[in-house]
Amino acid sequence: MTAPDTATRPRPHPLDAGVDVERAEAAIVEHYPRLVRLAYLVLPPALGRNRRVLTAHSLAQRALPRGREASGAQGLVPFQRGAQDADPAADAGYAYVRLRVLRAALEAGLPLTFRALPRRAQLPPALPQVWGLRLFPRSGGAEELALDQWLATLDGPARAACALRAVEGLDGQEVLLVLTEAGVVDPEAALAAAGGPENDALFASPEFDPCVLQARPTDLLRRRRWVRGSLAAGAALLVCGALLGLPGGGWGSDGAAAPASARNAAAEQALDPAKVTRAGAADWRTADRSDFSVWPARGDRADDRELLRRALAVWARPGASVVVSATPGTPAGPPMGSPQLLFAGAVDQAVVVLMHDGLRVVRYAEPLSGTAGAALDFARTDGAAAETATALVLSRVDGNVRYLTAPWVTGATVRDLLKPADAPTPLRLKDGVTAPVAGPAPAGSCTAWNALALETAAGHRLVTDLGELTPARLTSGAPGAARDVTQAAELSEWSRIACLLPAVRSHGVRSVNSWAYARQPLPENNGTAAWLCTRAETWRGTADRVQAQFLAPGAQVAAQAAKAEGSPACGPREPRVLAGVLWKSQGGHWYVLAAGTAQFTSLSVTGGATGAAAGNRLAVKAAEGAQVELSGKLTDGTRAGVLR
């Protein structure tokens, strides 16, 4: 859970609060380059630049605590976000992972002895690994070279003092405090050996940045000899395995199955391009079903049997050069019978074939000339209906997406979810294929989020690309009564939460529903906040992802207050949710805010703040950074906790 306001927070003691694993992970991801640079500077230069780079990345990645919480705390209301972005040292999560990185880097510089087993940091890193290349930061000038040589004369604690002062911007007392927590025996001596701050600006040079790297090959002759020896050993293992697998011995009987060399008529028929099924051009108008099974075959190469033969063969036996991907929970095996052809034709710089076998949609793509670089993508689509079988992704090129729309789609427009007041842009359709559409969050920044508005006889459907073959349908409303997003208020809500959609990207999502389950007048007459619950349901029916979000007045983006995976919350099975945040008023006072759905008759908070309220909303004064537990009583008298 997090809050949307920003404020200047005092620097806490590195271990003065419980830090859960999600918070530690967020700190590592957000400040990863800074943590890796800190580890690189503290590691002994005697390791060599290539190993220092890999070890620095390994130490930063291993800073994540093993348990769910670093200090045993559970069900915590997180700190309000914003201050950490400006000053990462103010975040207890960042201070915790920084201390773990620093301790590990200091351990890596300890000499190996025969009396004790080596510590993990003293050994070459297991991950990350780079084969065939040596990596090292870019070379600096004469001043950087002199500084690097001077650092090599210092011991580990002195290098740590330099890095904390130059990279982290800590003053002398703060450096002493962190060194003491890291286990340095004589922090005062380390700080004295670190010298003055006159060269601190040089530490920002690419010479000391292990995230901006150059690459050179390793010993090529030695690598060639190693590869030849490995191939010989692998061939010997294959021969031994074949001998063990001979009939009469081997790894077990196959029972009544025919020999492995026997031919299977049904399997061979599924690979015959002449047996590929096709729906009639008008079948969708009279069929009882409205899903992918009634889509007609389209595309300028729908009758190209050689293309279909290659697509079916690769589907059944993808070669080593074929790039294969599948959404979570989707089997990537051969067709179960003769599949149905949906599309075959040239799209941008590739030839694309779309087929459907009742359970999955499969896309085969190859270059316009040749077959090198062919790709095979699987997406589960069982249980599709008219609302979710409206479009498929044909291609993604240079950040643009082309879709193949259902035959019942009569028109299409593009809408930027972040600009709900703007009119949608008309989109040209030709035989069901759209013109290129800029993908969501171009270049990885959430400055725009395009969605496709598809016009059908039943109304408009809003879908967006989440990195899979099937775009996700976007809806609004209470569980069991979700509707397509068409109203201005619904579009306004989606503009505040669209940038949170990357959390469900490439997760096999069928639809995403947003539900404004509560509105809460804020203390000190600071306006009214909205509480939203977003549920992303998957095609496989499990691992649905749920987020509770807090939308403060005037906020451009909703803040994530809680999240869960595999939870029935905010769905038809369990249409309830409870979440809370720490919030700072315009007057500078901190509050625990919480809201639940209508099933909650009272709420209570314990821990760093205590209080209770009748109804489904609560506001209690609290200290900055308070760690609390929230719960509520339901209409049937039972108690329920926050979403997690």
Side-chain angles (χ1 to χ4, degrees):
M1 292 173 283
T2 187
D5 259 355
T6 60
T8 301
R9 298 179 53 194
R11 298 179 185 270
H13 190 285
L15 295 178
D16 66 351
V19 180
D20 57 50
V21 68
E22 287 84 2
R23 189 170 178 185
E25 180 187 23
I28 293 174
V29 173
E30 187 172 3
H31 305 292
Y32 184 80
R34 192 169 186 163
L35 292 168
V36 176
R37 186 189 290 260
L38 177 65
Y40 182 82
L41 290 170
V42 178
L43 287 169
L47 293 177
R49 291 195 294 173
N50 180 71
R51 181 168 167 185
R52 282 173 70 195
V53 166
L54 296 180
T55 302
H57 282 272
S58 177
L59 297 183
Q61 294 171 18
R62 293 209 315 262
L64 190 68
R66 294 195 179 190
R68 293 295 301 170
E69 291 82 21
S71 298
Q74 297 183 2
L76 304 179
V77 175
F79 288 96
Q80 179 175 351
R81 289 189 62 81
Q84 303 104 291
D85 300 337
D87 182 7
D91 178 16
Y94 175 75
Y96 175 79
V97 296
R98 179 183 66 189
L99 185 60
R100 286 177 62 93
V101 169
L102 186 60
R103 283 175 175 168
L106 290 172
E107 288 178 358
L110 297 177
L112 293 172
T113 64
F114 292 102
R115 297 182 178 180
L117 293 175
R119 301 183 183 182
R120 185 176 181 185
Q122 295 175 281
L123 301 174
L127 289 174
Q129 283 289 347
V130 178
W131 294 90
L133 290 174
R134 301 188 66 83
L135 304 177
F136 49 90
R138 295 179 179 177
S139 299
E143 292 180 331
E144 287 83 357
L145 178 60
L147 179 58
D148 191 39
Q149 292 173 345
W150 176 71
L151 285 174
T153 65
L154 302 179
D155 60 7
R159 290 193 299 271
C162 287
L164 290 171
R165 185 185 63 212
V167 177
E168 296 297 296
L170 304 184
D171 59 31
Q173 290 300 319
E174 292 170 327
V175 170
L176 292 175
L177 175 63
V178 176
L179 290 178
T180 301
E181 290 290 345
V184 175
V185 177
D186 191 354
E188 290 82 5
L191 182 59
E198 56 272 11
N199 293 322
D200 284 0
L202 294 177
F203 285 89
S205 166
E207 173 83 13
F208 306 105
D209 187 358
C211 291
V212 180
L213 302 171
Q214 298 183 96
R216 292 293 184 273
T218 56
D219 188 329
L220 299 179
L221 289 176
R222 181 184 298 176
R223 189 170 70 190
R224 179 180 295 176
R225 289 193 294 268
W226 183 88
V227 169
R228 287 176 177 173
S230 299
L231 290 176
L237 287 175
L238 287 175
V239 171
C240 293
L243 292 175
L244 289 174
L246 290 175
W251 295 297
S253 171
D254 291 333
S261 58
R263 302 169 69 92
N264 184 286
E268 291 181 350
Q269 181 178 339
L271 303 181
D272 185 353
K275 303 294 185 180
V276 170
T277 63
R278 304 164 189 253
D283 285 358
W284 63 273
R285 298 181 183 275
T286 57
D288 293 334
R289 302 170 59 178
S290 296
D291 56 15
F292 297 108
S293 65
V294 297
W295 280 31
R298 288 169 284 182
D300 56 3
R301 297 182 64 175
D303 296 323
D304 188 338
R305 287 200 176 184
E306 290 303 315
L307 171 63
L308 298 183
R309 187 185 305 279
R310 290 195 301 273
L312 291 168
V314 172
W315 182 353
R317 304 181 308 277
S321 63
V322 178
V323 179
V324 181
S325 69
T327 58
T330 303
M336 297 177 291
S338 298
Q340 175 191 350
L341 179 64
L342 304 181
F343 179 89
V347 182
D348 297 322
Q349 302 302 313
V351 178
V352 177
V353 178
L354 283 177
M355 290 180 281
H356 178 245
D357 69 350
L359 172 67
R360 304 161 295 177
V361 166
V362 179
R363 178 179 62 186
Y364 168 77
E366 65 180 27
L368 290 176
S369 59
T371 59
L376 191 65
D377 303 308
F378 295 84
R380 188 168 173 174
T381 57
D382 52 318
E387 298 82 7
T388 51
T390 53
L392 292 171
V393 172
L394 272 180
S395 72
R396 293 186 183 87
V397 177
D398 297 331
N400 296 320
V401 185
R402 283 187 190 267
Y403 299 88
L404 177 67
T405 60
W408 52 85
V409 171
T410 58
T413 56
V414 179
R415 178 180 289 279
D416 186 352
L417 293 182
L418 303 188
K419 299 176 181 177
D422 290 2
T425 304
L427 187 63
R428 180 174 56 88
L429 290 178
K430 183 178 180 181
D431 196 22
V433 179
T434 70
V437 179
S445 61
C446 196
T447 56
W449 194 285
N450 284 335
L452 205 62
L454 302 174
E455 184 177 346
T456 70
H460 286 79
R461 314 284 189 211
L462 194 64
V463 299
T464 191
D465 177 28
L466 292 181
E468 298 170 332
L469 282 180
T470 52
R473 180 192 180 198
L474 305 182
T475 60
S476 292
R483 56 191 178 276
D484 289 292
V485 181
T486 56
Q487 302 297 323
E490 298 165 349
L491 290 169
S492 178
E493 288 177 358
W494 267 104
S495 70
R496 305 298 196 273
I497 61 176
C499 288
L500 301 178
L501 284 174
V504 297
R505 181 172 288 177
S506 301
H507 191 61
V509 172
R510 178 181 59 189
S511 63
V512 185
N513 182 60
S514 175
W515 173 32
Y517 68 87
R519 297 192 179 274
Q520 182 176 23
L522 297 176
E524 304 178 18
N525 295 319
N526 280 185
T528 301
W531 290 87
L532 308 173
C533 191
T534 302
R535 181 177 179 86
E537 296 188 342
T538 64
W539 285 98
R540 60 192 182 278
T542 59
D544 298 342
R545 291 185 175 179
V546 185
Q547 292 185 19
Q549 296 139 348
F550 175 78
L551 182 58
Q556 296 300 312
V557 180
Q560 180 178 282
K563 65 179 180 178
E565 182 170 328
S567 169
C570 296
R573 289 179 177 269
E574 190 177 284
R576 69 167 189 264
V577 67
L578 171 64
V581 294
L582 277 174
W583 171 80
K584 187 179 181 181
S585 70
Q586 297 175 4
H589 304 117
W590 288 87
Y591 292 84
V592 173
L593 301 181
T597 47
Q599 295 91 335
F600 287 89
T601 59
S602 65
L603 304 179
S604 62
V605 58
T606 58
T610 58
N616 64 337
R617 297 170 298 188
L618 175 144
V620 175
K621 274 193 172 183
E624 178 184 0
Q627 309 291 330
V628 301
E629 289 276 357
L630 289 171
S631 63
K633 181 182 289 187
L634 301 173
T635 53
D636 61 3
T638 60
R639 300 197 66 83
V642 295
L643 176 70
R644 64 179 59 163

